[in-house]
Amino acid sequence: MRCWIQFLTTPTVDTPGTSLVLHFDNKRYIVGNVHEGLQRATIQRGTKIQKVSDIFLTGKTEWKTTGGLIGAILTLADTSKTATQSAGHYHRLCKEQLEDCLLHNPSPEVLETLQRKLNSAKQKLASGAQTLTIHGGPNVTHTLATGRRFVFRKGMPVEVDEIREDERNGDWSPTWADENILVWAMAIEPGSSIKGEPAVQALSPRKRSFTDYESDVSTVPRKIQGNLYERGLVTEQEFHDQQIRQGVISHMFDSDWRLDALFETPLSEVKMPATLFIRNSTSKKIEQYSGPMPGGEEPLPNINVLVRKPWPGALITDLPPTKPSLTAISYIIRNHPQRGKFDPKKAKALGVVAGRLYSDLTAGHTVQNDKGEDVLPEQVLGPSKSGNGIAVVELPSDEYVHNLIARAEWQEPQVMEGVGAIVWILGPGVFKNQSLQYFMTEMSHMKHMVSSTDCCPNYLSLDSSAAAAIRLHQIDADRFPIPTHNNRPPTSPENDQTASTKVANWIPANRGLRVLLEPTILVQDKFSVPPLDTAKVLQEMPKDVLFLAKAIRHEISGKSIQQELERSSQDLPSPDAEVVFLGTGSALPSKYRNVSGILLRVPGSGSYLFDCGENSLGQLSRIYPQDELTEVLRDLKMIWISHMHADHHLGTTSVVKAWYKATYGENYPSEVGGSNTEFSTSGETMSEGPRLFVVSDEPMLKCLAEYSSVEDFGYDKLVPLSVWAAKPGKPESTRLEWNGVPVGFNTNDEKMNQMMRTATGLTSIAAANVPHCHGAKGVAVTFASGFKFTYSGDCRPCRALVEIGMGSTILVHEATFDDELRGDAIAKLHSTISEAIGVGIAMKARRVLLTHFSQRYQKLPVMDGVESVSVELEDETDGQIEGTEGNEMGIAPIDTDDSPVEQREIKSIGEMVEDEADSDELLAAPPANARNRRPSILKINQPIGRDKEMKVGVAFDYMRVKLRDIALLEKFTPALLKLYEDTSERDSIGSQEETTGTPPKKQETTQEKRTKKVGGGKMGRVRQSSEERKNVRNGVDLFSD
């Protein structure tokens, strides 16, 4: 049985942790960190994660090690759901094939083949939903539970095993096991760092029989924890609190709750707020109830009403408190012992009849020979072999070294026999710890792989995105920087001349590096993925594209263009304001586009972040060198989160932590889980030091508050402002609150107004409810110079957004779909390209930048055919879904998956509840968007380009564009179109599934598929039918790996 462990990531700025995959044919395990950017890294390398059943988190529970966990679980949940659906579809196909074949007198061979396929399909269907188990240190459960306000999945049971040091029962049985591996977890607490040489001896364990092994693992439980309360390891309160968190997680990923299910209850027992329905006695139809409400002044009629049942996870308004844990988790992982080789000559000599009895002996069962005598497996099997293994050790700092090397496991044969390699995941500076190096030297009979910023280079880990950025830089260097990187490792066995780090038999970790565990331990460097060859990317740039780009640059440097640019910019406020795009894709990260994030830099005022999708900090770190990045972070004044879909905010914690570190330093004393200080109009609050404003809907702020008890990421220096949208026609009526206290820019309290203006650099914030999901809002911010910036978030074209953004200098609007997919845009509450432009025309915006493109447009959105706009502005509540009743937490029951239909088996972020009728006892509520609509205020029908003052640009990841230069973006369109004509598959990487070395197959792009001609006619673009797309999604190839 061949199995191996392989590096998925090593620490870089956009993959800030170390992650490995342990590969068996029937199952996968992720070991190490599940950091931000891991999903995108697996997509980049083509690594499939469908078979992942367990995640073994190493290190401390902090965002650095768990920041990508929620996104990864969402991906696995969606993959599991699609696989289950595909299994059902495949079973039906096999059954139909067999029934059809029986009608035509098939041959026995054909019948046997079809029956075998049907039996296989039955097994896949019977396997049911996959369970994901997450193993890690304290607070993993709490971390996941903070996401209950925006995570809802069905059919993906998630279990969390939090590892505690005092769980061992005095023996050396594994703490966890399954059919493939044995795991010994080590919970390491920080202690003194000893500089001397510890007494560590190399191990030469005795050989052991297979019977010994069987006795070791025969009673190993599948779960680690058991009932900790009954064993006296936790208090009754701690046990109760953990039960609450685990219940929340259960509902987050494996709930049977449905939004459209109505339950009958007496009107007097309804908890408000809630939307109530009654059945019309005449028509028998369900209608919205409009009579006296509970809590009102009018007496209540004695009737029953229909009401939605609250989502169970939302009933927990506040999680039980927790506190940071310093425990760092490491693992020793071994294969099961292997029986000796079967000797048929011995079996024959003992009178065993060949055939099934041979198989029974090989499986370890006693059989009888032809004389009726018992023959034992030991009589015919060779010597047993211990299972090979590897240790994965994470040491965040020097303080953990002594307690790690003092562990008894290192000298215990029952644990260490067969372990031949160690993966070291080390914090900065730990590799040079003398005690650790002595330990590694004493363990020189093992292979050591070190993953640390001390010895791993900051290479470009997202090759496709980086290559695209380099090509764009060759076209327009002023707007498209080359991502910062360094392929030279700080320390390696070749360049290290420091005596203190002369450790034999170690190699630096590298993505793709593989350690074969069976049949023998072997480090296979041939699978390592080399850094992106940037010189090759430069050389591969098509010459005609370079020639065209050079001609464009020459043209725009000419006097006439410059004069026109000066004329159109002379009355622009803050012309040097810069918009920087950290992510321009929707739903989930892809090879070419990260999820949403926009940085606005306004000289003299500050920097402002609008949405903060996963790995936004990594994108910032690629755009800016370290010194400039520190300046940008220190200058950051506000983070705006538009809504609670995960692709818009999962990077917030890491950005806040980086801001906190840049502003206050590494060792600034902070109050973990602090209350952010009550608002004071005297200015005392702001005089305590710089503050970072986080403005969003209340649920987002509560997520941050709950997570602040897990680690100190700077929460006590935040100003969390909850926002309520402006009333129609009154942008100034936007309401802001800080810890329940109303604040603002134009209140009756001038001291407050001045303090807010000084602290934020703004003169106003106006918000509007937009049609997308519960709590979704657009925003317009205004500066003292008159510069006005409006951001749509995700939405349909919206009247309220036009009102607050009227006269904007810049509008950044989502443009998820091209115009041919307007039906998809309406269904998913997004906008098309021409609709987004139409919103800019309606609000008289000077400049419009388009972003948030569906990931089906891998490099360039489809713009051809956009010659005019025709858009009807919707009311801000059109399509809006009410939140769960009885609390402020809303779950958006909308399919916001914007990925190509044929790729939905890997979708993750953004999709929420689907309405599925599966019980006769449930009553279906009217569609949430079927309410009466208010008339639109404006309908635009105008050719593009008629408004000479409004300039439109398309955003790319890493793009930096100043206000005065937005008009130049359209000049480079011919070069961009030419570039993407022939570079659809020209990434300078050769990654395949798990880096097998096989050249990638040429794939048609989605755009090529859609532009195919049919039957030689002039049909142009042809859409697949829904049934065709369903067949693609449900194909049997989903079961292959």
Side-chain angles (χ1 to χ4, degrees):
M1 175 185 64
R2 290 174 63 86
C3 63
W4 63 81
I5 192 168
Q6 188 170 32
F7 283 90
L8 294 175
T9 63
T10 59
T12 67
V13 295
D14 42 19
T15 55
T18 301
S19 185
L20 305 100
V21 59
L22 178 58
H23 177 108
F24 286 80
D25 289 342
N26 66 324
K27 195 180 287 189
R28 311 285 189 273
Y29 310 82
I30 292 178
V31 186
N33 309 147
V34 183
H35 50 77
E36 290 186 53
L38 177 60
Q39 273 196 97
R40 204 172 178 203
T42 59
I43 294 171
Q44 174 66 63
R45 291 196 43 222
T47 303
K48 296 181 180 180
I49 62 173
Q50 288 96 321
K51 292 185 178 181
V52 171
S53 63
D54 292 85
I55 296 175
F56 293 91
L57 295 171
T58 60
K60 296 190 297 182
T61 301
E62 55 185 350
W63 201 257
K64 178 183 177 182
T65 58
T66 64
L69 186 58
I70 290 178
I73 297 175
L74 290 174
T75 296
L76 288 169
D78 293 331
T79 301
S80 176
K81 175 183 174 182
T82 303
T84 301
Q85 293 173 341
S86 298
H89 180 75
Y90 182 51
H91 177 261
R92 289 193 299 272
L93 287 178
C94 292
K95 186 177 180 181
E96 291 171 1
Q97 284 181 344
L98 180 59
E99 291 173 349
D100 183 66
C101 184
L102 290 173
L103 300 176
H104 300 86
N105 298 319
S107 66
E109 293 80 7
V110 172
L111 191 61
E112 181 182 357
T113 299
L114 292 177
Q115 187 63 55
R116 189 166 57 249
K117 286 179 62 178
L118 180 59
N119 292 338
S120 175
K122 285 181 179 179
Q123 291 178 357
K124 294 181 186 296
L125 186 61
S127 62
Q130 173 182 329
T131 297
L132 176 67
T133 304
I134 301 168
H135 313 262
N139 288 333
V140 172
T141 312
H142 187 98
T143 299
L144 290 177
T146 63
R148 68 192 181 282
R149 296 174 174 88
F150 59 90
V151 173
F152 184 93
R153 287 296 187 273
K154 296 183 178 183
M156 178 69 180
V158 173
E159 299 175 356
V160 180
D161 288 334
E162 292 192 357
I163 300 164
R164 294 172 179 264
E165 175 54 27
D166 48 6
E167 288 183 24
R168 186 168 298 285
N169 293 320
D171 59 25
W172 290 109
S173 299
T175 51
W176 187 88
D178 68 357
E179 69 273 22
N180 292 328
I181 58 175
L182 311 172
V183 179
W184 287 264
M186 298 184 291
I188 313 297
E189 301 294 334
S192 60
S193 180
I194 296 179
K195 300 300 182 182
E197 297 181 350
V200 179
Q201 299 178 356
L203 305 177
S204 299
R206 67 176 178 87
K207 296 291 183 181
R208 308 169 68 212
S209 70
F210 190 81
T211 305
D212 294 334
Y213 289 111
E214 287 188 314
S215 64
D216 284 347
V217 302
S218 60
T219 59
V220 174
R222 179 150 187 345
K223 297 181 181 180
I224 294 177
Q225 294 210 331
N227 193 325
L228 299 179
Y229 171 59
E230 291 181 357
R231 292 165 57 190
L233 299 180
V234 298
T235 66
E236 182 177 2
Q237 185 62 51
E238 288 174 331
F239 177 73
H240 175 71
D241 291 348
Q242 193 71 348
Q243 290 295 101
I244 292 175
R245 299 185 187 101
Q246 290 174 344
V248 168
I249 292 175
S250 174
H251 286 296
M252 286 169 61
F253 299 101
D254 189 29
S255 179
D256 58 1
W257 177 84
R258 287 175 44 197
L259 179 79
D260 63 346
L262 295 178
F263 294 84
E264 191 172 37
T265 186
L267 176 61
S268 59
E269 297 179 8
V270 173
K271 294 182 179 180
M272 300 299 290
T275 302
L276 310 182
F277 299 90
I278 58 172
R279 187 182 295 278
N280 188 297
S281 59
T282 303
S283 65
K284 304 301 182 183
K285 294 182 178 180
I286 296 176
E287 300 174 348
Q288 187 165 338
Y289 172 73
S290 58
M293 293 289 189
E297 297 180 356
E298 299 180 60
L300 297 178
N302 185 23
I303 62 172
N304 288 344
V305 294
L306 301 172
V307 64
R308 291 188 179 100
K309 199 170 186 178
W311 178 55
L315 294 176
I316 308 299
T317 56
D318 297 290
L319 291 178
T322 187
K323 57 185 178 180
S325 171
L326 298 178
T327 303
I329 306 299
S330 299
Y331 303 96
I332 296 171
I333 303 173
R334 266 180 36 202
N335 291 334
H336 282 279
Q338 299 178 16
R339 293 183 175 87
K341 186 176 180 180
F342 176 74
D343 190 335
K345 292 182 179 179
K346 290 184 178 180
K348 184 177 181 181
L350 291 170
V352 179
V353 179
R356 182 179 59 83
L357 297 181
Y358 278 20
S359 299
D360 290 343
L361 284 168
T362 303
H365 303 303
T366 299
V367 303
Q368 291 186 336
N369 61 13
D370 52 6
K371 298 179 181 180
E373 301 170 336
D374 286 345
V375 177
L376 304 178
E378 289 81 358
Q379 295 178 269
V380 296
L381 297 178
S384 60
K385 174 186 176 298
S386 63
N388 291 332
I390 190 168
V392 181
V393 177
E394 179 157 359
L395 301 174
S397 65
D398 282 329
E399 286 72 28
Y400 291 84
V401 173
H402 174 256
N403 287 345
L404 180 279
I405 63 181
R407 298 282 301 196
E409 283 91 340
W410 302 116
Q411 299 189 49
E412 176 50 57
Q414 293 185 50
V415 178
M416 293 301 296
E417 187 172 357
V419 176
I422 304 178
V423 171
W424 297 94
I425 304 174
L426 304 178
V430 178
F431 184 48
K432 295 186 178 182
N433 182 283
Q434 293 182 10
S435 297
L436 177 62
Q437 291 192 14
Y438 182 80
F439 178 82
M440 295 172 69
T441 301
E442 289 297 300
M443 292 286 192
S444 59
H445 59 287
M446 296 189 181
K447 304 180 188 335
H448 298 271
M449 288 134 288
V450 181
S451 183
S452 168
T453 53
D454 295 337
C455 55
C456 296
N458 182 29
Y459 58 87
L460 294 167
S461 55
L462 304 174
D463 307 63
S464 298
S465 177
I470 293 171
R471 296 186 186 109
L472 291 172
H473 177 81
Q474 291 178 274
I475 292 176
D476 184 6
D478 293 332
R479 258 65 64 183
F480 298 99
I482 292 179
T484 62
H485 64 285
N486 185 356
N487 291 338
R488 182 180 176 84
T491 301
S492 69
E494 293 76 20
N495 66 23
D496 177 30
Q497 302 301 320
T498 305
S500 64
T501 55
K502 281 296 183 181
V503 177
N505 205 25
W506 79 276
I507 59 174
N510 189 21
R511 57 176 176 167
L513 180 68
R514 179 184 293 184
V515 182
L516 186 67
L517 298 180
E518 296 292 354
T520 184
I521 292 181
L522 179 65
V523 177
Q524 298 178 309
D525 188 57
K526 65 180 181 180
F527 292 102
S528 294
V529 179
L532 177 67
D533 188 343
T534 54
K536 185 178 180 182
V537 175
L538 293 170
Q539 293 170 1
E540 287 183 340
M541 186 69 164
K543 302 301 181 184
D544 53 349
V545 176
L546 291 174
F547 179 81
L548 183 56
K550 183 178 180 180
I552 293 172
R553 291 195 298 271
H554 177 74
E555 177 189 357
I556 64 176
S557 64
K559 185 176 180 179
S560 60
I561 297 292
Q562 288 299 312
Q563 287 178 342
E564 173 60 23
L565 184 65
E566 181 66 26
R567 185 201 65 77
S568 64
S569 304
Q570 61 184 0
D571 61 340
L572 289 175
S574 301
D576 289 324
E578 186 177 50
V579 185
V580 185
F581 288 91
L582 312 181
T584 59
S586 68
L588 75 165
S590 73
K591 287 203 302 183
Y592 295 99
R593 296 186 187 275
N594 196 40
V595 287
S596 295
I598 302 163
L599 179 71
L600 173 66
R601 302 186 69 185
V602 181
S605 296
S607 298
Y608 308 82
L609 194 54
F610 295 86
D611 279 339
C612 191
E614 182 178 330
N615 209 28
S616 288
L617 180 61
Q619 297 289 91
L620 281 169
S621 302
R622 290 300 184 196
I623 295 171
Y624 297 107
Q626 184 57 52
D627 291 347
E628 191 174 355
L629 174 62
T630 300
E631 178 185 340
V632 169
L633 290 170
R634 287 175 179 168
D635 202 36
L636 189 62
K637 298 292 181 64
M638 184 188 79
I639 299 176
W640 165 271
I641 304 299
S642 63
H643 63 289
M644 287 297 289
H645 282 166
D647 57 322
H648 289 258
H649 65 79
L650 279 181
T652 306
T653 300
S654 55
V655 170
V656 171
K657 190 171 184 178
W659 166 85
Y660 180 65
K661 176 182 174 182
T663 305
Y664 289 94
E666 291 275 7
N667 302 313
Y668 184 84
S670 179
E671 179 184 353
V672 177
S675 61
N676 307 93
T677 310
E678 293 300 324
F679 177 79
S680 171
T681 58
S682 66
E684 293 177 2
T685 301
M686 296 304 172
S687 66
E688 296 172 359
R691 293 278 182 153
L692 177 59
F693 288 72
V694 179
V695 188
S696 188
D697 207 29
E698 187 72 16
M700 176 66 202
L701 306 179
K702 288 193 173 184
C703 287
L704 294 175
E706 289 179 344
Y707 182 75
S708 69
S709 60
V710 173
E711 69 167 312
D712 172 21
F713 67 96
Y715 180 76
D716 67 310
K717 294 300 180 183
L718 296 183
V719 178
L721 295 183
S722 51
V723 59
W724 282 264
K727 298 176 182 178
K730 297 181 179 180
E732 71 282 357
S733 63
T734 298
R735 183 160 60 96
L736 302 170
E737 286 188 4
W738 181 5
N739 291 330
V741 178
V743 298
F745 298 86
N746 300 292
T747 69
N748 295 327
D749 188 336
E750 189 53 40
K751 286 185 178 180
M752 176 194 295
N753 299 340
Q754 187 57 45
M755 188 193 71
M756 289 291 291
R757 292 168 186 166
T758 301
T760 64
L762 304 173
T763 58
S764 72
I765 297 176
N769 289 326
V770 295
H772 184 62
C773 70
H774 178 78
K777 291 178 176 64
V779 66
V781 295
T782 307
F783 297 80
S785 65
F787 174 67
K788 187 173 184 179
F789 179 88
T790 299
Y791 173 55
S792 68
D794 288 5
C795 65
R796 292 288 298 143
C798 180
R799 177 179 65 88
L801 182 69
V802 170
E803 289 180 354
I804 67 166
M806 187 61 66
S808 289
T809 315
I810 297 178
L811 165 66
V812 176
H813 202 287
E814 72 118 289
T816 307
F817 297 102
D818 67 64
D819 286 359
E820 282 195 350
L821 300 181
R822 185 170 181 268
D824 288 38
I826 293 173
K828 300 172 187 292
L829 296 180
H830 285 296
S831 299
T832 68
I833 290 173
S834 65
E835 285 175 335
I837 296 172
V839 172
I841 295 173
M843 71 168 57
K844 297 179 171 57
R846 299 290 299 277
R847 302 291 184 265
V848 176
L849 294 172
L850 306 180
T851 186
H852 196 270
F853 302 108
S854 169
Q855 299 291 11
R856 72 189 68 201
Y857 314 121
Q858 288 287 295
K859 298 177 182 178
L860 192 67
V862 179
M863 298 286 288
D864 52 313
V866 183
E867 299 175 353
S868 64
V869 296
S870 180
V871 56
E872 182 174 337
L873 300 176
E874 299 181 4
D875 181 78
E876 64 268 26
T877 59
D878 286 350
Q880 191 101 337
I881 305 301
E882 296 129 21
T884 24
E885 329 303 2
N887 62 83
E888 72 282 6
M889 300 177 210
I891 295 297
I894 307 165
D895 180 10
T896 57
D897 173 22
D898 310 317
S899 58
V901 173
E902 58 269 25
Q903 293 182 8
R904 287 205 176 184
E905 63 270 17
I906 61 168
K907 68 186 176 183
S908 66
I909 303 174
E911 183 192 22
M912 304 302 260
V913 181
E914 294 183 8
D915 295 338
E916 298 174 351
D918 56 5
S919 172
D920 293 334
E921 299 177 2
L922 303 180
L923 297 172
N929 59 354
R931 62 180 66 98
N932 294 329
R933 294 192 175 196
R934 289 162 52 186
S936 61
I937 62 166
L938 182 62
K939 186 171 183 178
I940 305 290
N941 193 345
Q942 176 176 317
I944 296 293
R946 176 175 294 179
D947 187 345
K948 298 297 184 181
E949 294 300 317
M950 192 185 83
K951 306 298 181 183
V952 180
V954 173
F956 295 83
D957 281 23
Y958 304 126
M959 186 175 86
R960 302 174 56 177
V961 59
K962 292 185 177 181
L963 170 59
R964 66 167 75 248
D965 296 334
I966 292 177
L968 296 177
L969 293 177
E970 62 184 15
K971 302 291 185 182
F972 289 93
T973 300
L976 294 175
L977 293 174
K978 187 65 178 176
L979 169 66
Y980 291 125
E981 275 182 6
D982 53 1
T983 58
S984 60
E985 296 297 326
R986 193 187 287 169
D987 290 327
S988 298
I989 56 173
S991 63
Q992 273 291 343
E993 158 63 5
E994 301 183 352
T995 5
T996 59
T998 307
K1001 296 179 181 180
K1002 171 64 179 176
Q1003 302 270 345
E1004 284 185 316
T1005 64
T1006 305
Q1007 189 167 334
E1008 289 171 339
K1009 292 177 182 177
R1010 294 176 56 209
T1011 54
K1012 271 188 173 181
K1013 306 292 182 182
V1014 177
K1018 297 182 179 180
M1019 298 280 295
R1021 298 181 183 180
V1022 176
R1023 300 286 312 284
Q1024 288 178 303
S1025 70
S1026 59
E1027 187 62 32
E1028 289 171 332
R1029 289 179 290 181
K1030 190 178 297 182
N1031 290 338
V1032 171
R1033 186 166 71 248
N1034 294 331
V1036 296
D1037 61 319
L1038 288 176
F1039 299 115
S1040 65
D1041 193 11

